[in-house]
Each structure stands twice: as structure tokens, then as C-alpha cells.
Amino acid sequence: MKRRYMQLDVFAGHPGDGNPLAVVLDAEGLDDTTMQAIARWTRLPETTFVFPATSPDASYGLRIFSPRREVPFAGHPSVGTAHAVLEAGIAPPRNGLLVQQGIAGLLPLRVEGDGATRTIAVRTPTARVMEVASAGDPRLQDALRGLPLGLLPPALMDGGRRWWLVELANESSLRAASPDWNAISRLAHDTDSMGVCVFARSDDPVYYLAVRAWVGAPAHFEDAASGAANATLAAWLASRDALPGDTGFYRVSQGREVGHDAIIELLVDDDGEVWSGGRACTVVHGDIDW
Amino acid sequence: MSLQRSARRYLQLDVFAERPGGGNPLGVVFDAVGLDTVSMQAFAAWTNLSETIFLLPPTTDAADYRVRIFTPRQELPFAGHPSVGAAWAAVEGGLVSAREGALVQECAAGLLPVRVDGGAGDMRVHVRAPRAREITKAALLHEAALRTALAKLPPGRQPPALWNNGPAWWVVELADGAAVRAMQPDLAAIAALTQASSAVGLAVYGRTDASDHQLVVRAYCPADNIPEDPVTGSVNACIAAQLAQAGTLPGRDGRYVASQGRELGRDGKVHVRVDADGEVWIGGQVQCVIDGRVDWPAQPGSVR
């Protein structure tokens, strides 16, 4: 059976700059095993599957799979799936909002503008501070060796997936850093986390923060653009009253060190909710026959 | 859905597969005239597939079509499963039609003969593999490392040997197909052996009397960070060359089917043929999984 299929670049205004995503529309009838097999076969960081919503409050249902397992929530798949749903005309926004129904529950997405400059942001699940570490914490020593630390102490945040968030003193050190994959993997394993997300403040006119996200074993992977990790970072900064800018809105640059050039938009609203989003572009569209 | 005028036809195939997911994926971009090398490489990196190919008009009358083959990191002069997929796509996409089952593919390594058998729905494509040669004395030179890499494995009739048909592969027959399926590879020992001998990897094979294949194959490239490769054209061509030289080809009339990839959740079937001239042909079925259009800029992005 043929289903509509799209391959997108998310958090990008230009194909190749962002984080790739595969979207299978019309996914009714696909079982878990088949979805996992497709997600392994696409070889992309995530593949999503779009179903009719079962809740009257939702615009559509979705399931998110990495090549290895199902993921309860992830940022770039949520933003990209909303883009695909709009492009395919599956569900229109109501009052500028779409509502996705996933394993993490109902989450609203804000749609602004249209065409090539349209941006979509997802309200991310509330992130919690699990632990604030000291700069000299022995568990972090190896993974952070040689990196000049910034003002905030390292923190372990849980926003569905857990990340260590570590401020570096300046953007140039962040861009020049080479991750010690073995140390990051040990830290991720010992603290039940994805790995380390480092950030630094920037003077760039477009973005206020530069971010790099290093995923431990078995992936040993630097993420091109991390919607959810950036949302936990925004929550961490908000909790310390350390958000960049003065409106609650700021942009992040991520992915240059791995051949991409993503821009992620973060908004911490008046209720303290964190929205993570940006642009997306359609690279492949057609049918999948599996 | 908005369709931009620059969009080209795009297929994502599963090669050496009798069902989707069984084989080795391949991205195929049609009408690639106008895409420069940097753009092709950027798209091949973006798909993250083991190979992405670009179809172009031939530059010589002797060829029917031209293909450029890219991994996420580099362009390749030739590769087996991309060539099988290229020929399949060129025929299915209506770019070319075979004359009495024959086509000529132009790639960076030169002109390559292709055979097309069967019709729509059951088309099988074979490409002629570059001629393989045995690196004699390699087994003697690397005897200790070989013994370590193959410890406790039940040997087959052919002694282990190093063969080269572009890449170099250690080719090792085991007692039977069951021994191949049960193998627990010592990846560290295999990496040490292949690095010492400048081989891309080590392949094992064993005979079987299964209903739909005569050989079971597995291939390991731990030194290249690929613990086990799912379905490998060049490996199967090296194994066929060794068996042909020994006069012990399985199957009949120089034709047999090899099963590879089950231990990785795949189910690849490689159709091998050794012709009267001793040339090895590698082929199989192709599944078209994704059929659509790709919109990729002819100029690379701002940073790359």
C-alpha cells in the first residue's frame, strides 16, 4: 500500500542546513514492528508517522521513532511533522495553533507566517532540574577537560530525555571544542542521560546562543539541531533568570561543526512555558510503499 | 503540496531485496544535469544512506546512461549495489531500454556491461564485477593474525585467502551455512587482521541446501567502524571468483544465490553468475520503496 511520504530539513531555511526528518503520512494500519523497521531503513535521526487524532482536541496523532526505538517526545520531529501536515493539507491551524497527540500527550504548536518564511514552534513538556553540579564535579571532569566553563554551574535537566547543560566561557571555545566521546559516553551511562549539551553566549546579530549537543554511546553523535535539548536549556536559563535578550525570545545557532547551519527559535512565554521551533523545508515528497 | 520547478525525480530503492527492508538502501536522483559535485556530495551526506547516485546522460555513444556514486563522505568510481540500482532505475524510469537484455553503464571507473532479465515486477539486474585476483602468499604472511581471527570456527574446503576486486577482502569458507549463521565474530581480531593486510574486511561463507539459496555469507569491516555489512556486492564477487578458480561453484550452470544480512535483521539475496569467460556477474531484485521528487539546490548551502 502506498502512503504519502516526505523528507524534510528542520530548523533550516535552506536544504542541508538543519536536521533531517522522514514523515510517513496516512500511517493507519502500520504496526509498531513495521514502523520501527521503516525508521531503521530511512537511516535518518527520526522518522514520524501521522495518524488521525483520537482526541477531539487534537489536530492529528503522531508516533516518533529513532532507528533504534520509539521516542516519547522530540522537538525537531514535532516541528517537522507539523510542517508536513500543513503542506499535505491534512489539518489546518485553528487560531494559529495545531495540536499534536503523541505518547507525551497533547502538545500545541504555534504556526506563524506562511510559505518559505513560515515558522512552527512546539510547546515542550515541562523540564525539571534534576541536579546542579559543581564545576569540579569528578563525574564531569573527563567530559569537560580543557573547556573553559562559563558563569552557570553544570546542570542535569530532564525534559523527556536527560541532558547535562554546560555553559562555556565564549563562542570561539565552543566552536573549537572536540568532544571526548568515551568520556561523554561514560557520563551519559553513569547518569542515565543522553550526553552533554554545551552552550555559549554570542555577539552575533542573528543568534544569542551557540549550542553543541553530544550524544553518548552507542551513537557517538553530534546532533545537527536539537529542539528538545534547547528547550530544556531555555528552561534552565529561565530558572536562573539568565535568559539571553529581554523578551523571552532568542535564537540559537547549532550544527556548524557537523556541516549544518541550523537556527532554532526559543520562546519562554509569560506562563513560563517553553516553545521550541523554527523553519522547515521539504526536500523529498512522494509515496512510500512498504 | 507545493512543487518547485527545480524538483527532480527521486527514488529510494532497496537493492538485493525480495521485500522492502531486506536489502541495501540506495538513493537515486534523476536528471542530475545542473547539480555540481559539491551539491551532490551534500545531498549524499544529507540522505545518510550508504550510497546515493545521480543519473546523467552518457558522455560517450558506447554507453546508455551515466551514473555518479557518492557515499556520505566521498565519490566512488564503482560500487556493486549502486550499479544494480542504477540500471534498475534507468530502465524503470524509462531513461533507457535494454537491447536483448544488454545495457552499458558509464561510471567513473569506465564502461560497465549490465544484463537485464525478466519483466515488470520481476526484473533482475546483473552488473559485471571488476575482475578479482587472489593476493597470493597473503595468508602465509598473516598466518598468526588469521588464526586468531578465525579461532574455534569450523573450517571449510577452501583455505582462507585475500582477494581484490577494487577493495581487498579476506574470503574464508566455513564448514557449512549453519556455522556462518552461528558465528560470533571476534571483531578486535578481525580489525587487527584487516588493518595489517590493508583489507577492507573479512567475509565468511558456507554452503547450504536451503530451498532458495545455496550459500550463506557474512561480511565484517570493524576497522571501518562497520561491525557487519548487511549485503555486499564486492564480497560476493570475490567469493565467486575463489569458488570458480577452485572449480567448486554451488548451484548449476555457474549460477547460485547467496543469502546475506539475516543476522542484522535484513534478508538480502545476491544472485551470482559466473559466465563462460570466467567473468563474475552480481545482481538481484530491487524494491522501489520511495517514489517522489527531490528539491535540492544546485548551489551548496551557506556554510559548507
Side-chain angles (χ1 to χ4, degrees):
Chain A
M1 174 183 166
K2 288 193 177 178
R3 302 163 201 274
R4 285 176 290 176
Y5 174 87
M6 298 173 82
Q7 218 164 297
L8 314 172
D9 211 21
V10 182
F11 301 133
H14 186 279
D17 284 351
N19 206 348
L21 176 74
V23 183
V24 178
L25 303 169
D26 319 314
E28 305 95 291
L30 290 176
D31 62 22
D32 291 14
T33 308
T34 306
M35 288 191 276
Q36 186 63 72
I38 293 172
R40 193 171 60 224
W41 191 83
T42 65
R43 293 181 56 88
L44 296 180
E46 269 102 6
T47 301
T48 66
F49 299 85
V50 176
F51 296 85
T54 57
S55 158
D57 298 325
S59 312
Y60 54 92
L62 95 160
R63 306 269 300 268
I64 306 171
F65 287 78
S66 79
R68 290 167 193 274
R69 64 180 67 90
E70 183 162 18
V71 179
F73 172 78
H76 103 274
S78 297
V79 170
T81 303
H83 170 90
V85 160
L86 292 173
E87 291 289 303
I90 287 176
R94 277 180 270 175
N95 300 322
L97 291 178
L98 288 169
V99 178
Q100 73 176 34
Q101 180 181 16
I103 288 187
L106 300 186
L107 286 173
L109 295 114
R110 199 176 277 185
V111 181
E112 285 178 17
D114 55 342
T117 59
R118 180 177 63 208
T119 62
I120 299 170
V122 61
R123 199 184 77 201
T124 58
T126 303
R128 293 179 300 145
V129 182
M130 302 299 293
E131 191 184 336
V132 179
S134 70
D137 191 311
R139 293 170 303 167
L140 298 167
Q141 285 297 298
D142 287 344
L144 302 179
R145 193 175 303 281
L147 297 176
L149 299 184
L151 287 175
L152 291 178
L156 179 63
M157 292 288 291
D158 188 339
R161 289 163 161 174
R162 293 183 181 187
W163 285 96
W164 280 99
L165 305 179
V166 178
E167 182 171 16
L168 299 189
N170 54 66
E171 183 179 359
S172 56
S173 302
L174 176 128
R175 299 230 179 256
S178 11
D180 178 338
W181 293 114
N182 290 329
I184 290 163
S185 293
R186 275 197 303 277
L187 174 65
H189 177 265
D190 293 348
T191 55
D192 192 21
S193 64
M194 293 289 287
V196 179
C197 185
V198 292
F199 64 98
R201 289 165 201 272
S202 170
D203 298 328
D204 189 275
V206 174
Y207 57 88
Y208 286 172
L209 287 187
V211 167
R212 297 179 67 182
W214 297 322
V215 181
H220 282 189
F221 172 74
E222 178 160 353
D223 203 10
S226 323
N230 271 292
T232 65
L233 173 56
W236 165 238
L237 295 172
S239 77
R240 305 291 287 213
D241 206 13
L243 282 171
D246 48 17
T247 63
F249 175 86
Y250 64 92
R251 289 192 177 90
V252 164
S253 162
Q254 189 181 345
R256 285 193 189 170
E257 296 73 20
V258 284
H260 298 258
D261 192 17
I263 293 288
I264 303 154
E265 299 182 346
L266 280 305
L267 172 69
V268 182
D269 69 17
D270 295 343
D271 300 325
E273 300 281 3
V274 178
W275 299 74
S276 173
R279 293 189 198 175
C281 28
T282 306
V283 176
V284 171
H285 71 268
D287 297 318
I288 182 167
D289 188 358
W290 188 275
Chain B
M1 241 180 258
S2 61
L3 174 61
Q4 302 197 12
R5 268 182 303 174
S6 61
R8 296 170 163 87
R9 184 149 189 230
Y10 176 74
L11 303 180
Q12 204 159 302
L13 308 176
D14 208 20
V15 179
F16 300 134
E18 294 173 346
R19 57 172 175 78
N24 214 348
L26 178 73
V28 184
V29 178
F30 286 72
D31 310 318
V33 174
L35 283 178
D36 63 16
T37 301
V38 176
S39 293
M40 291 183 188
Q41 183 62 72
F43 183 65
W46 190 82
T47 65
N48 198 36
L49 299 172
S50 58
E51 277 101 2
T52 300
I53 62 170
F54 298 84
L55 292 173
L56 295 156
T59 62
T60 159
D61 289 344
D64 294 287
Y65 61 93
R66 178 181 172 216
V67 61
R68 293 180 67 179
I69 305 169
F70 289 77
T71 74
R73 289 166 188 229
Q74 62 183 328
E75 183 167 10
L76 299 180
F78 168 79
H81 104 274
S83 297
V84 170
W88 189 94
V91 173
E92 278 290 306
L95 289 189
V96 297
S97 45
R99 292 172 310 277
E100 297 177 352
L103 285 173
V104 176
Q105 167 172 302
E106 178 184 1
C107 56
L111 299 182
L112 182 77
V114 176
R115 294 264 342 149
V116 180
D117 301 306
D122 181 37
M123 183 168 63
R124 278 188 311 282
V125 172
H126 285 78
V127 299
R128 200 179 76 195
R131 199 168 264 250
R133 61 189 174 86
E134 184 179 357
I135 314 294
T136 52
K137 301 212 173 86
L140 207 59
L141 195 60
H142 299 282
E143 194 181 0
L146 256 178
R147 203 179 312 121
T148 310
L150 303 176
K152 295 184 194 151
L153 292 170
R157 282 190 281 175
Q158 299 304 318
L162 184 62
W163 284 75
N164 187 316
N165 62 355
W169 288 96
W170 284 99
V171 170
V172 180
E173 182 174 11
L174 299 186
D176 54 25
V180 173
R181 298 233 185 265
M183 178 176 174
Q184 305 278 347
D186 180 343
L187 294 174
I190 293 171
L193 167 69
T194 54
Q195 279 174 324
S197 52
S198 300
V200 65
L202 177 142
V204 296
Y205 67 94
R207 291 161 197 271
T208 177
D209 51 10
S211 61
D212 62 350
H213 58 276
Q214 291 75 47
L215 219 57
V216 178
V217 172
R218 295 176 70 182
Y220 310 98
C221 319
D224 270 351
N225 216 13
I226 303 167
E228 181 164 357
D229 195 53
V231 204
T232 325
S234 60
V235 156
N236 279 284
C238 283
I239 291 170
Q242 182 185 49
L243 291 170
Q245 178 178 277
T248 57
L249 281 169
R252 59 172 77 153
D253 303 332
R255 292 171 187 263
Y256 66 90
V257 176
S259 161
Q260 189 184 345
R262 279 198 197 164
E263 296 71 22
L264 297 172
R266 313 283 187 92
D267 194 14
K269 296 282 167 51
V270 180
H271 293 244
V272 180
R273 188 179 140 227
V274 181
D275 68 18
D277 299 326
E279 300 284 359
V280 176
W281 297 71
I282 294 293
Q285 289 188 36
V286 174
Q287 305 296 321
C288 182
V289 178
I290 291 162
D291 186 347
R293 321 226 20 123
V294 59
D295 188 4
W296 191 257
Q299 297 299 318
S302 45
V303 169
R304 281 174 310 279

